[in-house]
Amino acid sequence: MHSDDGQAEGSCGEEPNGQGPDPRGPLTVLAHSPSLTPLLALGALRSPFKRPAATADFPRTRLVLPGLRVDLARLAAYERVCGFPTGEDTLPVTYPHVLGFPLAMSLMSGRDFPLPLLGLVHTSIEITRYRGLVATGEYELTVYVDGLAPHRRGTEAAVVTELRVGEEVVWESVSTYLARHRTKGTGREQDRERHEPLPGVDEWRLAGDIGRRYAAASGDRNPIHLYPLTARLFGFPRAIAHGMWTAARCLAAHGTPQAVLVRAEFRAPVLLPSTVTYAANGERFELCGGERVHVSGGVHPLT
């Protein structure tokens, strides 16, 4: 696996403890987290040359970032923009995704990743937090592509992020990303639960600068989220909210136990500015604009 920004300390086919080759693929250990902006630009430049297909090869390398500590000022900015309490020594359930996103972009912007970064849509995330995560702790991140799958609208990639303390996985997620392209109309699409609309809990007026504020806190400066002009270049009439901001905002309102399984499906973009309704009932939640469901998901305590 090449490293476009030169972050790699070393690459090997063995586990760090020397117990032999890992069947899941070789490791590339990073000295520090990659910068997101150059990766987004590189991925955009390479996008026209990609030929997405569910049968295409994909990178097997696992990127590992050891000795990770959270920037507390950046964490506080994230908590404020997403609606989480600030000043607590516990990471919000969605924050490890922000920590792992540069590693995911490093893989998805690479030459050997077959899906074009331009137009790639984050369609869902499943998060498992096994216990509370101390904001002042030290962690190890691992990110890898788990595979490709046919989708009736194109090809979907699954990207896994793991957060460890020592040898223990304390948080993990699986994100799916869809590259739309012509298909024969077959393939998998995530089944959506059919149910009555959830009761509205609160109405949120979303300002036009939410995308810029979340970008400053998360580092994800995709132009579709920043300004109407840059969003129009990609076919949107106005800037759209980050999907992970909408999920985080809902989870901040819903609340999550320390040990929890969270699922969120991103069903329609949220244009900025706009007014949306947060709805919830029991374990389920939704973010809606009129009759349109933007995000749906659930919060399931681990027993």
Side-chain angles (χ1 to χ4, degrees), residues 1 24-26 50 53-62 107-108 110-115 144-149 155-160:
M1 173 74 181
R24 293 175 294 179
K50 299 297 181 77
T55 56
D57 197 13
F58 59 90
R60 263 66 175 186
T61 299
R62 291 183 295 141
L107 290 173
M108 292 194 286
R111 291 186 182 91
D112 51 356
F113 185 72
L115 308 186
Y144 60 93
V145 180
D146 197 39
L148 305 178
T155 299
E156 204 167 53
V159 178
V160 175

Side-chain angles (χ1 to χ4, degrees), residues 2-302:
H2 68 284
S3 177
D4 295 305
D5 289 339
Q7 290 90 3
E9 285 186 338
S11 180
C12 63
E14 297 188 354
E15 286 292 277
N17 59 17
Q19 293 182 351
D22 191 302
R24 293 175 294 179
L27 295 176
T28 294
V29 181
L30 305 180
H32 54 83
S33 186
S35 176
L36 263 175
T37 301
L39 292 173
L40 289 169
L42 184 62
L45 289 172
R46 288 176 171 163
S47 290
F49 305 100
K50 299 297 181 77
R51 297 294 179 264
T55 56
D57 197 13
F58 59 90
R60 263 66 175 186
T61 299
R62 291 183 295 141
L63 298 183
V64 179
L65 179 62
L68 174 66
R69 288 191 175 275
V70 173
D71 182 328
L72 297 181
R74 184 179 172 191
L75 171 62
Y78 176 89
E79 290 169 335
R80 285 192 295 269
V81 73
C82 296
F84 291 106
T86 58
E88 298 183 356
D89 192 24
T90 304
L91 294 180
V93 67
T94 49
Y95 196 68
H97 173 85
V98 172
L99 300 175
F101 192 61
L103 279 67
M105 284 297 101
S106 186
L107 290 173
M108 292 194 286
S109 64
R111 291 186 182 91
D112 51 356
F113 185 72
L115 308 186
L117 200 58
L118 278 182
L120 203 62
V121 179
H122 193 184
T123 51
S124 71
I125 188 168
E126 180 176 293
I127 295 171
T128 307
R129 183 173 64 185
Y130 296 99
R131 60 177 173 86
L133 308 177
V134 179
T136 52
E138 182 174 303
Y139 300 97
E140 179 180 276
L141 266 174
T142 301
V143 179
Y144 60 93
V145 180
D146 197 39
L148 305 178
H151 186 285
R152 70 180 185 87
R153 294 181 180 175
T155 299
E156 204 167 53
V159 178
V160 175
T161 301
E162 298 171 341
L163 197 68
R164 285 181 170 82
V165 174
E167 297 297 317
E168 179 190 6
V169 176
V170 293
W171 184 101
E172 60 186 341
S173 72
V174 181
S175 281
T176 56
Y177 296 91
L178 174 65
R180 292 191 178 99
H181 58 86
R182 289 186 178 181
T183 69
K184 295 181 180 179
T186 60
R188 185 181 62 191
E189 184 171 20
Q190 186 174 350
D191 291 333
R192 292 177 175 175
E193 292 184 45
R194 305 294 181 183
H195 56 72
E196 294 298 315
L198 300 181
V201 175
D202 201 1
E203 188 174 84
W204 299 336
R205 297 179 64 185
L206 308 184
D209 67 347
I210 284 290
R212 297 191 292 278
R213 291 170 54 203
Y214 183 82
S218 69
D220 182 0
R221 292 179 172 84
N222 187 320
I224 64 174
H225 304 302
L226 303 182
Y227 300 98
L229 179 60
T230 56
R232 282 197 291 270
L233 295 175
F234 298 91
F236 295 98
R238 304 196 301 275
I240 64 172
H242 294 73
M244 283 305 299
W245 178 84
T246 63
R249 184 68 185 87
C250 289
L251 292 168
H254 191 285
T256 56
Q258 295 298 315
V260 66
L261 170 66
V262 169
R263 295 189 178 96
E265 179 184 354
F266 307 112
R267 298 171 59 174
V270 177
L271 295 173
L272 299 173
S274 65
T275 299
V276 294
T277 299
Y278 166 69
N281 185 21
E283 296 179 338
R284 291 171 20 221
F285 66 84
E286 289 180 340
L287 191 66
C288 307
E291 298 296 319
R292 194 176 201 189
V293 178
H294 297 290
V295 183
S296 62
V299 175
H300 311 283
L302 297 180

